[in-house]
Amino acid sequence: MEKPVIEFIKHIRQYSTLSDEAENAIVVLARNEILAKGTILSKEGKTCKRLYFLKNGTVRTYFYQDGKDITHWIYPKNNMVTSWHSYLSQTPSKDYIETTEISEVISLTYTQWQELYTTFPELERFGRLLIEEQMALIDDFYKGYYFLSAKEKYQLLIKAIPNITQIANLGHIASMLGISQETLSRARK
């Protein structure tokens, strides 16, 4: 088994037991890439065709509002990343996905996953549990979000991503929280 894909297989095993055949199918199909900082994985207006496992590095999703770059989410290593709405509905994306440091990703296409789900039910279980986890995280993070103070927003983010200040710049964090960098500095104290 290719060494980079082993970490991806271990990640999937956290959700579901895999047969040797399923593991081998993933190894054959998976694309492993080392990407430079600033690499765009998905663009607004284009359908996101790949689901990425972020083996190393950091990725952020963002969009533009009134010409301003707004960070939506920051993903640390060992996470699955995609433009979720675009990928799941196979419609044009409303956001961008960008590496914020040199990153290593392992990915498969939407079509490849659909074929794997059909062939290997344990992978369909992985897909379902992954989406449930993502929905729970988003729900927990954004529930009541608009009613929280800057300090409470920051504490909620630290709960979701404990090492956020080590992997993301403060400008992206402030943007994600919808506050200024100055307000973020006060909230961090």
Side-chain angles (χ1 to χ4, degrees):
M1 186 178 308
E2 291 183 40
K3 190 171 183 175
V5 180
I6 291 172
E7 293 301 314
F8 182 39
I9 298 292
K10 285 180 185 176
H11 184 76
I12 294 171
R13 283 189 195 137
Q14 293 175 36
Y15 298 86
S16 181
T17 303
L18 295 179
S19 65
D20 290 342
E21 294 80 11
E23 287 184 19
N24 290 333
I26 291 168
V27 169
V28 168
L29 296 172
R31 180 169 82 184
N32 185 66
E33 300 173 276
I34 297 177
L35 306 170
K37 176 182 178 178
T39 300
I40 303 295
L41 298 173
S42 180
K43 294 181 180 181
E44 178 183 17
K46 301 287 184 188
T47 301
C48 188
K49 302 281 187 189
R50 299 191 88 78
L51 177 61
Y52 300 91
F53 172 68
L54 183 58
K55 184 175 180 294
N56 286 303
T58 308
V59 168
R60 77 176 178 122
T61 58
Y62 66 98
F63 59 93
Y64 286 98
Q65 184 174 1
D66 299 327
K68 188 175 179 183
D69 171 330
I70 308 290
T71 297
H72 181 262
W73 197 256
I74 297 168
Y75 292 89
K77 69 179 183 175
N78 295 322
N79 271 279
M80 300 300 294
V81 179
T82 193
S83 177
W84 292 102
H85 183 267
S86 175
Y87 175 80
L88 293 170
S89 64
Q90 287 297 279
T91 58
S93 179
K94 296 177 182 167
D95 56 11
Y96 295 80
I97 302 174
E98 173 190 45
T99 59
T100 58
E101 61 182 326
I102 295 173
S103 299
E104 184 173 3
V105 297
I106 299 166
S107 67
L108 285 91
T109 67
Y110 178 86
T111 302
Q112 288 169 330
W113 275 115
Q114 297 309 306
E115 291 170 5
L116 288 169
Y117 292 158
T118 300
T119 308
F120 305 104
E122 66 265 35
L123 287 174
E124 189 169 50
R125 175 178 166 76
F126 159 71
R128 178 181 57 80
L129 293 174
L130 173 66
I131 296 303
E132 287 177 3
E133 179 182 79
Q134 290 297 314
M135 291 300 298
L137 178 65
I138 291 167
D139 185 57
D140 186 43
F141 188 78
Y142 285 106
K143 193 167 272 167
Y145 176 82
Y146 296 102
F147 305 106
L148 299 176
S149 69
K151 184 174 184 172
E152 291 168 329
K153 287 179 183 182
Y154 179 69
Q155 290 170 339
L156 184 61
L157 179 60
I158 292 298
K159 180 182 168 194
I161 309 171
N163 64 335
I164 189 78
T165 58
Q166 286 84 44
I167 64 168
N169 77 45
L170 296 180
H172 292 161
I173 295 170
S175 173
M176 182 176 166
L177 296 174
I179 59 178
S180 69
Q181 280 190 321
E182 294 79 19
T183 302
L184 176 61
S185 292
R186 285 192 298 275
R188 291 180 64 208
K189 289 183 181 176

